[in-house]
Amino acid sequence: MSIKVEEKLFENRYRVDEGRAHIFIKEPDVCRDKCETPSCTWTCPAGCYTLGEDHSVTLSTDGCLECGTCRLLCNEHFNVDWSYPRGGYGVLYKFG
Ligand code: SF4
Ligand code: SF4
């Protein structure tokens, strides 16, 4: 039996800290005007970053897996302000 990544991700649960996103794009204009390789939009395993038609990038941290990929790969402009969620919030992995 095969199972898709999306199906496995659906088994995780999240506690969203309303109004207190734990990751920010520091300067959205940099994403739109200066970033030629918006790696965040194709490497985030949870699809938190979305590339718009005008090359702007929007971020929704709901569903973030706290993997750190976006922080590591934004290594040209260092435009991601990254931290873990407050205690009790964020991803709850389902094991087994
Ligand atoms: S990689 Fe960094 S600078 Fe480029 S679009 Fe993503 S957050 Fe913005
Ligand atoms: S930490 Fe990982 S899952 Fe969360 S927004 Fe960044 S790349 Fe996506």
Side-chain angles (χ1 to χ4, degrees):
M1 186 184 93
S2 64
I3 188 164
K4 294 179 180 173
V5 171
E6 290 78 7
E7 292 172 10
K8 292 294 286 181
L9 288 173
F10 187 71
E11 294 182 357
N12 296 325
R13 294 293 176 262
Y14 308 88
R15 283 198 66 208
V16 176
D17 198 357
E18 293 290 348
R20 293 187 62 155
H22 62 286
I23 306 174
F24 294 93
I25 293 175
K26 295 177 191 172
E27 296 183 51
D29 290 356
V30 170
C31 301
R32 189 188 61 226
D33 302 333
K34 297 182 179 170
C35 184
E36 294 182 0
T37 52
S39 55
C40 55
T41 62
W42 67 76
T43 57
C44 172
C48 293
Y49 292 83
T50 305
L51 185 63
E53 289 184 5
D54 63 350
H55 205 265
S56 63
V57 174
T58 54
L59 166 62
S60 171
T61 56
D62 297 0
C64 171
L65 301 173
E66 302 167 24
C67 66
T69 302
C70 55
R71 177 175 64 167
L72 284 173
L73 293 184
C74 186
N75 55 11
E76 185 178 350
H77 299 289
F78 301 97
N79 201 23
V80 174
D81 187 333
W82 199 99
S83 62
Y84 283 108
R86 289 192 297 162
Y89 293 94
V91 65
L92 305 168
Y93 284 105
K94 179 181 177 183
F95 295 95

